[in-house]
Amino acid sequence: MTPRDNHMPTDELRALDAAHHIHPFSDTAQMRARGARVITQAEGVWLTDSEGNRILDGMAGLWCVNIGYGRTELADVAARQMAQLPYYNTFFMTTHPPAVALSAKLAQIAPGDKNRVFYAGSGSEANETNIRLARHYWHLLGHPEKKTIIARKNGYHGSTMGAASLGGMAGMHAQGGMPIPDIVHIDQPHWWAEGGGMSPEEFGLARARQLEEMIDQLGEDKIAAFIAEPIQGAGGVIIPPETYWPEITRICREHHILLIADEVICGFGRTGHWFGTDYYDLDPDIMTIAKGLSSGYQPIGGSIVRESVAQVIEDGGEFNHGYTYSSHPVAAAVALENIRILEEEKVIDRVRSETAPYLQQKWASLADHPMVGEARMAGLMGALELTPEKASRAKFAEEGAVGLMTRERCFANGLVMRHVGDKMIISPPLVISKEEVDRLIELAWQSLDEGMADAREAGAFPA
Ligand SMILES: *Cc1c(COP(=O)(O)O)cnc(C)c1O
């Protein structure tokens, strides 16, 4: 069987999968009881499964297929690069044209003096690099004790030991001995769930000031960096109140700690700008990139570093760090082609001026649904807060059960909308059309209705 062949019956594929494939983030017992979904091809925003069903991919894969599926230009570039130079490394004072061209391009589109790039194979690896970069930076400046990194509960920064430690996912920390030493967490700026009686503005300030309290508590001379996603993605599209980022920026500056913006989801057009940093007018020292960098067509990530920070590392002799696939030529060539398409087809401009305003208006109408407490969206990433009682912003007794019921209804109706607990989230390809937006909203409303009926039947939603 080659991957292109699709002649096996779905049941046989499922049986082989169950026998030999360990799945990331999957409940194996549940999956085996029902059989894994088998996706065989995709075009634009549409997936096709092994039974021929078409499914609207409201998540762009895992927040990454920004230019949509089926762009053969990327396949052509990959084939050409593989024929010419399939692999060479950039260790030991070597380079190659795809690494040069992609670095120059990223320096051009990244804001301000973010002019240097270190490559990785994924967002997780890039954040591993960031931990080492930030600590090594302070060490070289004569402050080896400045090594603690402050991050946030319910943030997501990847799945390797360092990256998952930066992340604030309790379920991940519980498996495998995380967080690693010298990483601490403050609370997230999630007003709807945690804001209580405060206004969003007051709450945003209060949550930002937790950073200052943590710095004061541990001592500024112990802190290397603060890392955060401009908008939390995997945590449930948590859009901070307006007051949050300006206060965080002030605190990082006044206390001399590096700011790392994890742009793995926000980057490459998701917010209607190149980066979340542009959307919020931030000035981070390091930006983590991956996902939309290649629209998921090749595994590649990296760290875009402020020139003055990079210079300290460069002047410090050899940085004893690198991955075999750092600046992989095929991945770099594909990323460059992806960026060319984003630019030449004005994909990001269209998100900002047309698609995002259109989807946001329709998305907001879902707040009229009896089970939706809030419908929020920034750029093309959005969340619905499901609740048994809107007025009090109440939570369901068993967290996540109604979210899961609703997610299953979405899939059955031909829509990928993910659930994070009882939040329903979307992040469609940036190329989604207005007709497809209309369809997405129709399917979402229908699935909410069915999910609510299921919840009533289970006694989770008032009759
Ligand atoms: C997905 C993600 C990562 C991890 O990227 P991988 O390529 O899965 O390792 C890191 N940070 C954020 C914000 C992400 O969404």
Side-chain angles (χ1 to χ4, degrees):
M1 183 175 71
T2 67
R4 279 195 74 89
D5 290 334
N6 182 30
H7 306 306
M8 270 185 142
T10 301
D11 284 350
E12 282 178 42
L13 288 169
R14 285 179 173 157
L16 277 176
D17 185 79
H20 303 297
H21 181 192
I22 305 177
H23 286 245
F25 289 104
S26 293
D27 181 324
T28 307
Q30 253 183 36
M31 182 176 67
R32 288 190 178 158
R34 196 198 45 206
R37 289 182 194 93
V38 183
I39 304 298
T40 52
Q41 58 192 68
E43 181 69 33
V45 304
W46 296 94
L47 306 169
T48 305
D49 71 13
S50 54
E51 313 281 73
N53 298 307
R54 272 161 56 87
I55 305 162
L56 202 171
D57 186 4
M59 284 304 299
L62 286 175
W63 324 78
C64 55
V65 189
N66 289 9
I67 58 165
Y69 298 93
R71 294 299 300 245
T72 52
E73 301 93 322
L74 274 65
D76 295 343
V77 161
R80 277 205 300 280
Q81 186 59 46
M82 279 194 199
Q84 186 174 339
L85 181 71
Y87 176 78
Y88 202 73
N89 59 283
T90 55
F91 288 27
F92 318 134
M93 305 193 280
T94 307
T95 196
H96 49 63
V100 175
L102 180 59
S103 307
K105 188 72 208 176
L106 288 170
Q108 183 208 323
I109 62 178
D113 53 358
K114 260 60 83 185
N115 287 333
R116 300 274 213 283
V117 192
F118 189 100
Y119 293 100
S122 67
S124 300
E125 284 178 14
N127 278 325
E128 298 291 329
T129 297
N130 294 341
I131 295 172
R132 300 199 53 196
L133 261 178
R135 290 178 175 173
H136 188 48
Y137 169 81
W138 289 116
H139 196 226
L140 286 169
L141 289 177
H143 303 287
E145 66 298 339
K146 247 172 117 60
K147 63 183 180 190
T148 294
I149 300 176
I150 303 177
R152 304 186 301 184
K153 293 176 192 161
N154 200 37
Y156 189 79
H157 300 293
S159 202
T160 50
M161 287 297 285
S165 295
L166 292 175
M169 300 290 181
M172 292 177 78
H173 289 180
Q175 298 172 346
M178 286 166 277
I180 59 171
D182 300 314
I183 293 176
V184 296
H185 298 83
I186 59 173
D187 288 319
Q188 58 179 340
H190 185 9
W191 176 80
W192 193 87
E194 299 173 8
M198 282 190 225
S199 71
E201 292 71 25
E202 289 166 344
F203 179 72
L205 278 181
R207 284 290 155 101
R209 285 178 188 155
Q210 279 193 4
L211 176 60
E212 198 155 42
E213 287 154 24
M214 185 64 93
I215 294 169
D216 288 342
Q217 187 192 323
L218 299 177
E220 187 178 309
D221 55 345
K222 299 282 193 305
I223 312 296
F226 173 64
I227 183 168
E229 302 153 82
I231 296 166
Q232 278 158 266
V237 186
I238 292 152
I239 304 168
E242 295 285 317
T243 48
Y244 183 76
W245 274 113
E247 187 68 357
I248 291 283
T249 297
R250 173 192 72 74
I251 294 166
C252 289
R253 278 212 189 107
E254 284 182 15
H255 293 277
H256 307 286
I257 66 173
L258 298 176
L259 174 60
I260 306 171
D262 188 334
E263 294 273 3
V264 170
I265 287 176
C266 293
F268 302 95
R270 179 58 53 198
T271 65
H273 299 263
W274 276 108
F275 297 100
T277 287
D278 302 313
Y279 182 79
Y280 283 118
D281 199 17
L282 308 179
D283 187 23
D285 299 287
I286 301 174
M287 296 158 65
T288 321
I289 55 172
K291 294 191 173 125
L293 167 59
S294 66
S295 282
Y297 281 61
Q298 282 282 291
I300 181 170
S303 308
I304 308 184
V305 184
R306 187 196 296 288
E307 191 156 328
S308 58
V309 172
Q311 257 158 17
V312 170
I313 304 290
E314 290 157 2
D315 292 346
E318 190 166 322
F319 184 31
N320 297 319
H321 177 63
Y323 308 107
T324 300
Y325 298 136
S326 287
S327 46
H328 191 285
V330 178
V334 168
L336 199 60
E337 180 68 2
N338 174 58
I339 294 171
R340 184 192 69 73
I341 291 175
L342 288 175
E343 270 189 324
E344 285 182 13
E345 298 183 4
K346 302 197 185 327
V347 172
I348 299 174
D349 294 341
R350 205 166 53 248
V351 168
R352 186 172 60 247
S353 63
E354 286 179 43
T355 323
Y358 187 76
L359 177 52
Q360 282 171 22
Q361 187 203 341
K362 303 251 160 177
W363 190 251
S365 72
L366 295 175
D368 295 337
H369 193 277
M371 193 163 69
V372 175
E374 180 178 75
R376 57 176 177 267
M377 184 166 273
L380 286 184
M381 57 196 291
L384 306 173
E385 294 279 356
L386 305 186
T387 174
E389 192 189 68
K390 291 176 181 236
S392 62
R393 313 207 303 264
K395 298 184 174 63
F396 290 104
E398 188 199 338
E399 198 204 327
V402 176
L404 176 63
M405 289 174 201
T406 307
R407 201 270 316 267
E408 291 300 293
R409 289 296 184 167
C410 288
F411 241 111
N413 289 327
L415 171 66
V416 178
M417 178 156 69
R418 193 164 134 187
H419 83 113
V420 176
D422 294 306
K423 301 186 259 289
M424 305 305 300
I425 58 176
I426 61 159
S427 165
L430 306 184
V431 297
I432 190 169
S433 69
K434 287 183 178 173
E435 296 71 42
E436 288 160 343
V437 165
D438 293 345
R439 186 75 188 129
L440 187 157
I441 297 293
E442 260 170 45
L443 292 173
W445 189 280
Q446 179 191 345
S447 305
L448 285 166
D449 274 349
E450 293 169 2
M452 186 171 69
D454 294 344
R456 274 211 180 98
E457 203 159 303
F461 193 83

